[in-house]
Amino acid sequence: MTNPGPEQPAAIPAESPPHESAPQETARHQRPARPEQHEPPRPPHPSQPSQAPTAPAATASPAPGISRRRRAGLLFTLILGGLTALPPLSIDMYLPALPEVGEALHVPAATAQLTLTACLIGLAVGQLVAGPMSDRFGRRRPLLVGMACYVVAGAACALAPTAPTLTVFRFLQGLAGAAGVVIARAVVRDLYDGLAMARFFSTLMLISGVAPILAPVLGGQVLRFTDWRGVFVILAAIGLLLVLVVLRKLPETLPAGRRHKGGLPDALRSMRALLADRVFTGYLLTTALASAALFSYVSASPFVVQEIYGASPQTFSLLFMVNSIGIVAFGQLNGKVLVGRVSLDRVLGFGLGMVGAATVALLVMTTGVLGPVGLAPLATALCVLMSGMGLIMPNSNSQALMRTPHSAGSASALLGTSQFLVGAVASPLVGVAGERTAVPMALVQFSAVTLAAAAFVGLCRPWRVRD
């Protein structure tokens, strides 16, 4: 797919040089190398006019400045990765404690799963609020307010006396935490475009992917020393750390001149225009429906692995870690090897095929068509499913956001909200047949991936050249 246009990202303060990598990426594809230079000159910063080539000695001198810029760029990436990791931390760290929550609060498994569903709904609704707010007020202020509320909600979850109270506080925790992930995506769109954006999303997947790797392990270890309430104390502490880092180190990336001034009516018009774009809606549905397969795994796997197959919380955490490594590894394969060599749509289509094959295998195994199967074959199919997500998510998000240079917050809100809303619907469906069968999980996953592939082919039409 071609880049949506020549628009360059807005300049940000000098201490935030990650902005420079986007024009460097586009420069390699659009500008021919200037002849008769001893070494390739750096492209001009988009906020500065073009300058004549300088001598090699002049370009080689400021090595300390380059080192400082690289350190700032790494810090910037880590901050965005931490914000993007907040939803998987809020969900996955809690998973090993889910059976214990039901026992401690004297509720069945389906009621305990509602606390997970409430968090997913909060994450969905919160993005619809935080995304447009960031288009109007800038990125920093809505982000800081959301993170501060996340800390308070996490502490309230730790003190919840009943399951209904915990469900309400989990909804509020998701509502507040949504600001982190939706605004992080909008910041990426402020600064990057085209293949550079796809690469940066793959880098974020490496950082945020550490969260689902470590979160269940950390949650399982917390349960060895305390009860499920300790999980929420740690989540509140992580939120407080993010508040302090954002306050001190994350600059504003949306200048006042590019902010929307119309309030809620303007935000609703922007979202309506986005949804009227057939291709954008196709990528949105592809991402959301693929997320349904992921969230059904997240919701059902604690009961499937621990209740049906009798594994310990520590074994479940280990298997979850292996699957998370798969999604991170394939995300890096996408960003470091495939992007720029293979079209984003082709990689996305391969990822859908990979996940689809895994869901067929899961459906065959869980229905007993081939007789009883052990945990190892089931875990292998789940690992293939999760690994394929590393090819789907960064490319579908990038393709959608490339069509929305002027409403990044609203577009990011629609993408995130659709994912978590569909996930919130899929999560309780996996438990409709009780705790002793994995068939609903496999059926939800197969249906979701089939619909995702249909949306990709029918709406995105990847074989056509698009503007």
Side-chain angles (χ1 to χ4, degrees):
M1 174 176 175
T2 58
N3 287 352
E7 175 181 327
Q8 296 294 334
I12 61 174
E15 63 268 24
S16 304
H19 185 175
E20 296 178 0
S21 59
Q24 288 175 354
E25 180 67 27
T26 56
R28 282 196 292 269
H29 291 80
Q30 297 177 359
R31 299 179 187 174
R34 285 179 284 189
E36 299 179 7
Q37 297 288 332
H38 295 281
E39 59 185 39
R42 295 181 60 191
H45 193 283
S47 63
Q48 299 173 350
S50 299
Q51 298 176 354
T54 56
T59 59
S61 57
I66 293 175
S67 176
R68 283 193 297 271
R69 283 195 294 271
R70 286 175 179 169
R71 286 197 296 270
L74 176 61
L75 178 61
F76 182 86
T77 305
L78 289 174
I79 293 172
L80 294 185
L83 294 170
T84 307
L86 201 58
L89 274 176
S90 303
I91 296 168
D92 299 339
M93 189 173 170
Y94 175 65
L95 290 180
L98 204 54
E100 183 180 318
V101 169
E103 295 176 5
L105 299 181
H106 309 291
V107 295
T111 303
Q113 283 179 321
L114 284 178
T115 62
L116 179 62
T117 302
C119 184
L120 292 174
I121 294 174
L123 285 164
V125 175
Q127 293 187 66
L128 281 178
V129 176
M133 284 181 63
S134 73
D135 280 341
R136 184 179 183 188
F137 299 107
R139 309 305 185 199
R140 272 176 58 87
R141 281 186 291 173
L143 180 57
L144 287 169
V145 171
M147 292 297 95
C149 293
Y150 178 87
V151 174
V152 175
C157 288
L159 300 174
T162 64
T165 306
L166 177 61
T167 302
V168 171
F169 287 146
R170 282 287 277 170
F171 170 77
L172 295 176
Q173 187 185 39
L175 193 72
V181 62
V182 70
I183 294 177
R185 273 197 305 265
V187 168
V188 174
R189 185 61 186 96
D190 290 340
L191 305 180
Y192 296 93
D193 196 5
L195 297 180
M197 181 164 55
R199 286 195 178 98
F200 195 84
F201 273 127
S202 294
T203 302
L204 282 187
M205 182 167 285
L206 172 63
I207 299 170
S208 62
V210 174
I213 293 173
L214 297 181
V217 177
L218 182 59
Q221 295 306 312
V222 168
L223 294 178
R224 297 182 63 180
F225 302 101
T226 183
D227 61 5
W228 59 271
R229 299 180 188 274
V231 173
F232 291 108
V233 173
I234 293 177
L235 287 174
I238 293 171
L240 180 60
L241 177 63
L242 284 172
V243 168
L244 297 176
V245 173
V246 168
L247 186 63
R248 293 178 57 87
K249 298 295 184 181
L250 185 67
E252 179 59 64
T253 60
L254 186 66
R258 292 178 55 195
R259 297 176 190 175
H260 293 186
K261 306 298 183 183
L264 181 60
D266 184 64
L268 293 177
R269 280 193 297 271
S270 296
M271 291 184 179
R272 186 166 57 247
L274 290 170
L275 292 175
D277 182 341
R278 172 182 52 80
V279 178
F280 174 84
T281 302
Y283 287 118
L284 179 146
L285 290 175
T286 301
T287 307
L289 291 165
S291 298
L294 188 151
F295 281 118
S296 63
Y297 157 74
V298 168
S299 180
S301 58
F303 297 98
V304 171
V305 174
Q306 297 180 66
E307 301 295 334
I308 297 178
Y309 288 93
S312 67
Q314 287 72 36
T315 301
F316 163 73
S317 299
L318 179 62
L319 292 176
F320 201 94
M321 179 181 70
V322 171
N323 292 342
S324 300
I325 291 173
I327 192 173
V328 170
F330 274 74
Q332 293 314 291
L333 174 67
N334 177 71
K336 304 297 185 184
V337 178
L338 300 179
V339 171
R341 294 180 174 88
V342 184
S343 73
L344 301 185
D345 280 337
R346 184 170 295 181
V347 178
L348 174 55
F350 181 82
L352 286 169
M354 183 175 171
V355 173
T359 62
V360 170
L362 285 167
L363 196 58
V364 169
M365 286 188 284
T366 56
T367 53
V369 172
L370 301 180
V373 296
L375 179 58
L378 189 81
T380 301
L382 288 172
C383 185
V384 173
L385 184 149
M386 290 292 287
S387 299
M389 295 294 172
L391 302 178
I392 296 173
M393 296 305 178
N395 293 317
S396 56
N397 279 322
S398 296
Q399 292 284 60
L401 287 172
M402 272 192 272
R403 301 184 67 83
T404 61
H406 302 296
S407 301
S410 296
S412 179
L414 287 173
L415 286 168
T417 296
S418 63
Q419 292 175 40
F420 285 107
L421 272 182
V422 173
V425 172
S427 294
L429 292 178
V430 301
V432 294
E435 305 174 21
R436 296 297 175 183
T437 176
V439 173
M441 177 191 74
L443 188 59
V444 169
Q445 290 171 337
F446 174 77
S447 302
V449 173
T450 301
L451 291 173
F456 176 60
V457 173
L459 295 177
C460 301
R461 300 175 188 175
W463 60 87
R464 293 187 177 180
V465 177
R466 294 187 293 266
D467 293 332

